[in-house]
Amino acid sequence: MTTTLAPDLLPAATLTGDRLAARHAPLRTLLSRIRAGELLLTLPDGRQVRATGALPGPQAQLQLHRWRALLRLLLEGDLGLAFSHRDGNWSSPDLTALLSLGLANEAALGGVTDARGPARWLAQLFHRARANTRRGSRHNIAFHYDLGNAFYARWLDHTMLYSSALFENEGDTLEAAQAQRLDRIAQLLDLRPGMRVLEIGCGWGTLAATLAQRCGVEVVGVTLSTEQLAFARERAAQWGVADRVDLRLQDYRDVEGRFDRIVSIEMIEAVGEAYWPTYFAALRERLAPGGVAVLQAITIDEAHFQHYRDNPDFIQRCIFPGGMLPTPERMAREAQRAGLSFSTEARFGRGYALTLAEWRRRFLAEWPAIEAQGFDEAFKRLWTYYLSYCEAGFLDGRIDVGLYRLG
């Protein structure tokens, strides 16, 4: 028989180094709650404190440049931590390890990453204000995707695929892993020449052009990003499939007609919970009899969904306004309500962690060229945090990515 101790029954973290003064009692209390892993904290005056938990876990470092970072964490939670990093109030040589340490100790830390009072209400109001109506969706998509094709081209690979790759072999490059994912999607779609395919959220057009070129199908692709549309049309022309790829600046709710196949890659995250029934109804209405839809979706674990719903996070505020991750269970229910069968074909969350790590490496390597486009240091810190934040979530397992088949 194995007994698991609750976090509050485990020994307090061992603190070594500087003896924190009485005025730093809240910080000492916070550090003592660490149950797994180790944190080396460097204070603004250069003194160091090491907090070591009783359980194994991530080894992380945090350099506190200004005390205000702690105040923002205590008042604004997750958002305050992100904003204070953006503003240069703290740093870490390994953001992913630090954020992973936070996730490993989340229960023991007692909700320190939750916003409080007015900060929480404002976060909820901001999120609700970015609802994905037709007009709202255009603004939300433009906020992220219209930063410029030149920006994304600096750190995505040549495919311009901005979704998780599928790493099947040890040592796969990002390019090889993206090619493997395209192959898997094509296999699940089971295409035959002459079929009509709808891609909801066609991005920079690589999947649409690939399916038209490789499988001899006709593809209608819709996006709300003017930047992506221009690139996608140019790519279709360069690849010689412009006559078989119809790319449009159009909301998925306004598409008409029936299609033999529908594919939608990491688009449901931008739909918004209120519009999940509309999205799945659109899939059903646009599918021809006997048709098949394939979705790639980022999901959150059901056990964390209610807390996530009640506490809009950094991603929803700073990166993807209006976004909302579904759970696999909620997707299955919405699909069934729409009259669609639903099956999970593959989940590969660890592959997304690898994808994000490689994107971050390329982003930092290309920073001088990105900075020359007019982006500043605050933007660099924000996006580095974003890529590490997501990587930590996938490593922890509370978020996942999968391919799903509907019919």
Side-chain angles (χ1 to χ4, degrees):
M1 177 177 176
T2 301
T3 301
T4 302
L5 295 176
D8 59 346
L9 298 180
L10 292 170
T14 301
L15 302 184
T16 58
D18 177 69
R19 290 182 176 275
L20 293 170
R23 67 179 181 276
H24 299 146
L27 176 58
R28 183 172 59 245
T29 300
L30 190 64
L31 293 175
S32 70
R33 291 180 181 175
I34 292 176
R35 299 294 187 261
E38 182 177 273
L39 174 66
L40 176 62
L41 173 65
T42 302
L43 303 175
D45 61 7
R47 294 176 297 166
Q48 292 187 325
V49 181
R50 188 182 303 273
T52 305
L55 300 176
Q59 309 292 299
Q61 298 178 48
L62 190 156
Q63 172 73 57
L64 194 61
H65 304 299
R66 299 180 183 87
W67 287 107
R68 72 184 66 167
L70 289 179
L71 179 62
R72 296 202 71 173
L73 171 63
L74 293 173
L75 292 178
E76 300 174 84
D78 165 77
L79 286 170
L81 189 68
F83 288 145
S84 60
H85 182 268
R86 176 201 62 190
D87 296 341
N89 293 331
W90 66 269
S91 61
S92 173
D94 188 341
L95 272 172
T96 301
L98 180 65
L99 294 167
S100 294
L101 180 73
L103 291 176
N105 290 280
E106 186 176 56
L109 290 173
V112 71
T113 57
D114 295 341
R116 290 163 176 76
R120 183 178 182 182
W121 304 332
L122 286 172
Q124 291 172 341
L125 286 172
F126 182 90
H127 183 59
R128 291 169 186 161
R130 303 307 291 263
N132 286 291
T133 61
R134 282 171 172 78
R135 181 178 180 181
S137 291
R138 289 194 298 273
H139 289 305
N140 290 338
I141 292 300
F143 178 88
H144 188 85
Y145 293 98
D146 285 349
L147 289 171
N149 295 331
F151 164 68
Y152 286 101
R154 298 305 312 189
W155 54 277
L156 296 179
D157 69 283
H158 69 277
T159 64
M160 292 289 280
L161 290 169
Y162 188 30
S163 46
S164 180
L166 180 60
F167 291 82
E168 295 181 334
N169 309 295
E170 187 74 23
D172 277 343
T173 65
L174 178 61
E175 287 77 7
Q178 291 291 19
Q180 287 161 181
R181 182 170 61 101
L182 290 177
D183 290 343
R184 180 71 66 88
I185 292 169
Q187 291 168 6
L188 291 174
L189 287 169
D190 188 22
L191 298 167
R192 293 183 292 278
M195 280 186 168
R196 295 189 73 229
V197 179
L198 170 64
E199 184 178 9
I200 298 176
C202 64
W204 284 278
T206 297
L207 178 59
T210 298
L211 296 179
Q213 187 181 66
R214 183 188 301 177
C215 305
V217 296
E218 297 181 1
V219 184
V220 172
V222 297
T223 179
L224 293 177
S225 167
T226 55
E227 289 279 322
Q228 287 185 330
L229 181 64
F231 185 99
R233 284 175 170 170
E234 183 178 343
R235 170 150 289 184
Q238 290 172 344
W239 290 16
V241 292
D243 60 329
R244 298 198 300 277
V245 177
D246 177 9
L247 301 170
R248 309 170 181 173
L249 192 69
Q250 186 176 34
D251 194 291
Y252 73 94
R253 290 164 285 201
D254 297 327
V255 176
E256 297 180 348
R258 292 291 186 100
F259 299 84
D260 302 295
R261 299 287 188 267
I262 298 177
V263 62
S264 187
I265 305 300
E266 293 183 22
M267 189 274 179
I268 190 173
E269 305 85 350
V271 168
E273 184 179 2
Y275 295 94
W276 289 344
T278 302
Y279 177 79
F280 283 96
L283 294 179
R284 182 202 62 218
E285 291 164 5
R286 300 283 74 82
L287 271 179
V292 169
V294 172
L295 311 184
Q296 181 169 316
I298 303 172
T299 58
I300 188 166
D301 185 84
E302 184 68 40
H304 295 280
F305 181 78
Q306 190 59 51
H307 182 269
Y308 165 70
R309 173 196 268 163
D310 294 340
N311 296 272
D313 70 355
F314 156 72
I315 298 296
Q316 293 164 308
R317 178 65 174 269
C318 300
I319 307 298
F320 295 109
M324 186 74 175
L325 299 183
T327 68
E329 295 83 357
R330 289 165 196 268
M331 282 203 305
R333 286 200 295 270
E334 293 293 349
Q336 289 161 5
R337 285 174 185 151
L340 297 167
S341 62
F342 181 93
S343 64
T344 303
E345 300 300 326
R347 293 192 192 176
F348 44 102
R350 300 291 290 190
Y352 220 143
L354 292 172
T355 302
L356 287 155
E358 180 60 13
W359 283 345
R360 186 180 69 254
R361 185 192 69 78
R362 297 182 184 203
F363 177 86
L364 292 173
E366 293 293 326
W367 176 251
I370 294 171
E371 185 178 33
Q373 295 176 15
F375 297 98
D376 61 14
E377 284 291 324
F379 180 88
K380 176 187 178 182
R381 289 191 291 266
L382 187 73
W383 271 65
T384 305
Y385 188 92
Y386 150 55
L387 295 169
S388 294
Y389 181 95
C390 294
E391 181 186 355
F394 283 107
L395 289 173
D396 179 72
R398 70 183 55 202
I399 54 175
D400 204 347
V401 65
L403 287 167
Y404 302 87
R405 185 178 168 101
L406 299 85

